[in-house]
């Protein structure tokens, strides 16, 4: 669970730090690399370091590490870590580096790290510091609620060593920001990692209540139950919940900044707390990770946690149509027709295409708030994972400026996203014989695009971005050096960048 390490920014000499592991990041490309790295070490370590670097042909490739065991009282290890060439370095280089370092420190049994902030010519020390803080916290995350022995190997403290006195304040602010962002990502990861048996629609509503309360006076929450949703005409969303014994909960979180601006962002998260497929039941293997089908909702709640700390100038609405998709004698059947709150009828031909049914009403609700931009996050289609793999989000949009703003935000935040088209010619694939729309396309191909086109029917031309996070929301194997298995909180970091750009 969320038990973040303490992070400090200090102007000091790295080798004066009292941490268990002292980390010296180095760029590649220098002529006498080993010698120049050795010069940066205390006299007593130079010989050993030189011998080690020469013996292993150390060339400072990204994440290449040399560990020196220091046999003295205070510190136990010095780690020299490569960053590759300074010209190729990005913030992601720093994130990947610190992720590898945290893993190494954990293997060494260390509880504290001190590390220099590496800055290339174009880099900014505060940006690099923030990236390192976020990645270090994410790397140190563990979901161990259900383990007998928990918390044992977590890091206690990290000191970012600052070289220039004038950078101290900016770095300390970056540390605070980074911790706030990482805290929000951890909230999202916890929500995803919690089993569906406990993380029900009601539990999601309770989590939202806690978050809004903690965030303070500019925040509020409205929770609608089934009867209230029916009264609003949300026939599509409520139908998904028919088979479950868990009552559905529609969540509307609001953040009103102190000084109001004309910008209003709505973020909509898919909140299917478990997706069995319904009567169109998934095979056992396909169901194994389906507690992750509320990862979009988790990202929205994690994002709101960060909003509470950063208090940006843009008004934000968070919307989650939380529901469990189960088979039963009450469940919706293939062939049933439902009516969404915008008046459109939908023929449900596969109860496993339930995400779009919930989003139809969530988007309609969001639209009524007259946002200047809408972003939905949804573990929507397996087809998106086929198209882009497990680490990249599929982005679809009806607005080039907003699409670009989200892509730029994702790039800066270190989340991978790629735009896919809302191809009008494929629109005919979701036309129904007897209703306005069908919930699955008539072609097996381009499944993410037809899902995106389905959602577009509910946005009425408002600037909107759809993020299909089916791949990166849940890591079946570690995603790079700083995101381990399980829920990743994907989307939170991009949303934070985006809201500050609005
Ligand atoms: N939640 C799934 C999509 C999913 C698949 C998320 C794998 C994460 C990993 C979604 O509700 C679903 O079942 N989609 C179907 C749509 C199909 C029936 C048109 C799918 O992708 O197979
Ligand atoms: Mn499904
Ligand atoms: Zn689903």
């Amino acid at each position: 669970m969320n038990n973040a390490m303490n992070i400090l920014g200090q102007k000091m000499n790295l080798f004066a730090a009292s941490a268990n592991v002292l980390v010296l990041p180095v760029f590649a490309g220098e002529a006498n690399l080993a010698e120049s790295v050795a010069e940066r070490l205390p006299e007593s370590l130079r010989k050993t370091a030189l011998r080690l670097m020469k013996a292993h042909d150390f060339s400072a490739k990204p994440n290449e590490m040399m560990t020196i065991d220091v046999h003295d009282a205070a510190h136990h290890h010095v780690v020299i870590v490569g960053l590759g060439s300074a010209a190729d370095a990005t913030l992601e280089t720093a994130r990947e580096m610190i992720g590898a370092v945290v893993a190494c420190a954990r293997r060494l049994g260390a509880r504290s790290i001190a590390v220099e902030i590496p800055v290339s010519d174009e880099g900014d020390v505060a940006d690099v510091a923030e990236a390192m803080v976020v990645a270090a916290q994410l790397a140190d995350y563990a979901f161990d609620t259900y383990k007998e022995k928990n918390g044992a190997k977590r890091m206690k403290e990290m000191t970012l060593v600052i070289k220039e006195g004038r950078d101290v304040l900016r770095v300390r602010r970056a540390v605070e920001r980074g911790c706030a962002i990482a805290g929000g990502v951890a909230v999202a990861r916890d929500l995803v990692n919690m089993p569906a048996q406990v993380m029900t629609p009601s539990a999601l509503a309770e989590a939202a209540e806690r978050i809004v309360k903690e965030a303070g006076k500019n925040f509020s929450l409205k929770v609608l139950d089934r009867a209230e949703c029916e009264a609003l005409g949300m026939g599509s969303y409520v139908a998904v919940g028919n088979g479950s014994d868990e009552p559905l909960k529609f969540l509307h979180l609001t953040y009103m900044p102190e000084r109001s601006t004309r910008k209003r962002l709505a973020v909509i998260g898919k909140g299917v707390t478990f997706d069995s497929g319904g009567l169109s039941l998934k095979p056992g293997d396909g169901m194994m990770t389906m507690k992750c089908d509320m990862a979009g909702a988790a990202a929205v709640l994690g994002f709101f946690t960060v909003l509470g700390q950063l208090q940006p100038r843009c008004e934000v609405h968070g919307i989650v149509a939380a529901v469990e998709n189960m088979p039963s004698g009450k469940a919706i059947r293939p062939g049933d027709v439902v009516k969404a709150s915008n008046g459109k009828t939908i023929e449900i031909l596969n109860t496993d295409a339930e995400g779009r049914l919930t989003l139809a009403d969530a988007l309609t609700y969001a639209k009524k708030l007259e946002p200047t931009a809408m972003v939905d996050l949804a573990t929507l289609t397996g087809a998106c994972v086929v198209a882009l793999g497990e680490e990249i989000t599929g982005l679809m949009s009806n607005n080039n400026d907003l699409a670009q703003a989200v892509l730029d935000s994702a790039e800066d935040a270190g989340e991978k996203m790629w735009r896919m088209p809302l191809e009008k010619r494929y629109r005919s694939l979701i036309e129904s014989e007897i209703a306005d729309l069908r919930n699955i396309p008539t072609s097996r191909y381009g499944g993410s695009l037809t899902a995106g086109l389905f959602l577009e029917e509910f946005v009425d031309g408002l600037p909107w971005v759809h993020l299909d996070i089916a791949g990166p929301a849940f890591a079946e194997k570690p995603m790079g050096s700083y995101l381990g298995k399980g829920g990743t909180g994907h989307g939170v970091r991009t949303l934070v960048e985006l809201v500050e750009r609005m």
Side-chain angles (χ1 to χ4, degrees):
M1 291 283 280
N2 188 9
N3 206 338
M5 70 176 112
N6 187 31
I7 303 188
L8 313 162
Q10 295 296 7
K11 176 169 173 359
M12 68 187 307
N13 178 325
L14 174 66
F15 299 97
S18 63
N20 299 146
V21 173
L22 307 181
V23 184
L24 187 66
V26 301
F27 288 110
E30 265 184 77
N32 294 312
L33 184 69
E35 283 78 8
S36 77
V37 172
E39 298 243 312
R40 293 165 64 188
L41 298 172
E43 181 74 66
S44 57
L45 294 177
R46 280 184 197 158
K47 252 189 168 167
T48 321
L50 256 181
R51 186 157 28 80
L52 203 66
M53 284 187 281
K54 294 242 152 110
H56 290 87
D57 241 340
F58 179 74
S59 61
K61 286 190 283 289
N63 293 6
E64 184 181 1
M65 275 186 277
M66 300 274 109
T67 307
I68 306 168
D69 203 333
V70 185
H71 302 281
D72 74 355
H75 359 285
H76 308 283
H77 295 92
V78 168
V79 172
I80 301 165
V81 58
L83 294 160
S85 88
D88 296 340
T90 63
L91 293 179
E92 191 63 8
T93 311
R95 292 188 198 100
E96 283 291 328
M97 176 274 287
I98 201 69
V101 163
V102 168
C104 167
R106 266 160 93 155
R107 276 195 304 273
L108 294 170
R111 306 298 306 279
S112 58
I113 311 174
V115 53
E116 275 187 9
I117 307 167
V119 188
S120 64
D121 293 339
E122 274 118 84
D124 174 74
V125 65
D127 289 348
V128 178
E130 181 188 313
M132 285 171 73
V133 167
V134 172
Q137 297 285 26
L138 297 190
D140 194 44
Y141 172 90
F143 181 72
D144 45 20
T145 313
Y146 293 100
K147 291 277 196 192
E148 190 182 2
K149 286 189 229 146
N150 52 32
K153 287 188 202 128
R154 308 291 291 280
M155 219 44 73
K156 262 209 181 94
E157 193 167 273
M158 179 167 87
T159 306
L160 294 181
V161 173
I162 304 163
K163 286 183 206 141
E164 309 279 350
R166 63 188 152 88
D167 292 333
V168 171
L169 264 175
R170 291 185 60 236
V171 167
R172 287 191 179 154
R173 270 201 297 273
V175 168
E176 218 173 288
R177 236 182 90 83
C179 286
I181 294 168
V185 178
V187 164
R189 295 172 90 178
D190 282 345
L191 292 171
V192 171
N193 287 331
M194 222 84 90
Q197 142 213 41
V198 296
M199 195 39 65
T200 59
S202 305
L204 262 185
E206 282 158 27
E209 206 176 308
R210 278 197 306 277
I211 288 163
V212 159
K213 207 168 160 198
E214 176 92 354
K217 65 171 171 35
N218 301 323
F219 290 78
S220 60
L221 170 69
K222 193 151 91 184
V223 181
L224 307 182
D225 62 15
R226 171 178 279 267
E228 291 167 301
C229 292
E230 279 168 350
L232 289 172
M234 298 185 178
S236 180
Y237 158 53
V238 299
V240 175
N242 286 357
S244 173
D245 289 341
E246 289 294 335
L248 54 79
K249 300 284 170 191
F250 188 97
L251 319 180
H252 174 190
L253 300 84
T254 304
Y255 162 61
M256 287 286 182
E258 289 292 344
R259 280 186 302 154
S260 73
T261 58
R262 284 204 213 103
K263 301 285 184 189
R264 184 179 293 147
L265 172 67
V267 289
I268 300 102
K270 173 175 173 182
V272 175
T273 58
F274 184 70
D275 183 12
S276 71
L279 287 178
S280 311
L281 198 64
K282 286 182 185 292
D285 281 355
M287 232 186 272
M288 221 140 55
T289 59
M290 278 306 129
K291 68 174 182 183
C292 84
D293 216 16
M294 37 60 76
V300 169
L301 296 188
F303 176 47
F304 264 76
T305 311
V306 187
L307 290 179
Q309 306 206 31
L310 299 187
Q311 306 259 337
R313 300 211 13 215
C314 175
E315 180 179 326
V316 187
H317 296 266
I319 286 133
V320 172
V323 65
E324 188 183 46
N325 186 21
M326 292 294 240
S328 90
K330 296 240 163 51
I332 35 161
R333 315 153 188 82
D336 283 358
V337 176
V338 296
K339 189 177 200 162
S341 41
N342 69 344
K344 286 193 180 159
T345 56
I346 305 160
E347 185 184 13
I348 299 174
L349 290 161
N350 187 321
T351 63
D352 196 13
E354 84 298 340
R356 64 198 77 185
L357 296 174
T358 69
L359 290 166
D361 284 322
L363 287 166
T364 301
Y365 182 98
K367 203 170 55 194
K368 290 185 193 149
L369 303 167
E370 299 180 350
T372 48
M374 298 205 286
V375 178
D376 78 72
L377 303 96
T379 45
L380 202 62
T381 65
C384 197
V385 194
V386 174
L388 296 175
E390 290 176 279
E391 302 194 8
I392 305 177
T393 280
L395 180 153
M396 281 148 264
S397 178
N398 59 358
N399 183 291
N400 291 336
D401 291 342
L402 185 61
Q404 198 55 50
V406 175
L407 287 170
D408 291 345
S409 302
E411 171 74 33
D412 288 357
E415 295 185 318
K416 297 182 195 348
M417 301 192 180
W418 193 257
R419 189 169 182 184
M420 307 205 286
L422 287 169
E423 174 52 56
K424 296 229 166 358
R425 282 187 45 78
Y426 297 163
R427 171 62 180 70
S428 62
L429 300 175
I430 53 169
E431 262 156 34
S432 159
E433 299 280 338
I434 65 164
D436 297 326
L437 292 164
R438 47 187 282 147
N439 81 325
I440 51 162
T442 48
S443 163
R444 332 170 10 215
Y445 303 113
S448 310
L449 313 184
T450 44
L453 287 166
F454 182 97
L455 299 184
E456 193 181 15
E457 294 296 312
F458 301 88
V459 302
D460 268 350
L462 243 109
W464 156 74
V465 160
H466 161 53
L467 300 175
D468 192 332
I469 60 171
F474 193 87
E476 303 223 32
K477 53 179 194 301
M479 245 163 68
S481 77
Y482 63 89
L483 275 170
K485 287 187 195 179
T488 59
H490 183 89
V492 174
R493 293 186 281 154
T494 298
L495 290 175
V496 173
E497 288 290 333
L498 179 70
V499 76
E500 296 191 325
R501 253 163 231 255
M502 299 226 0

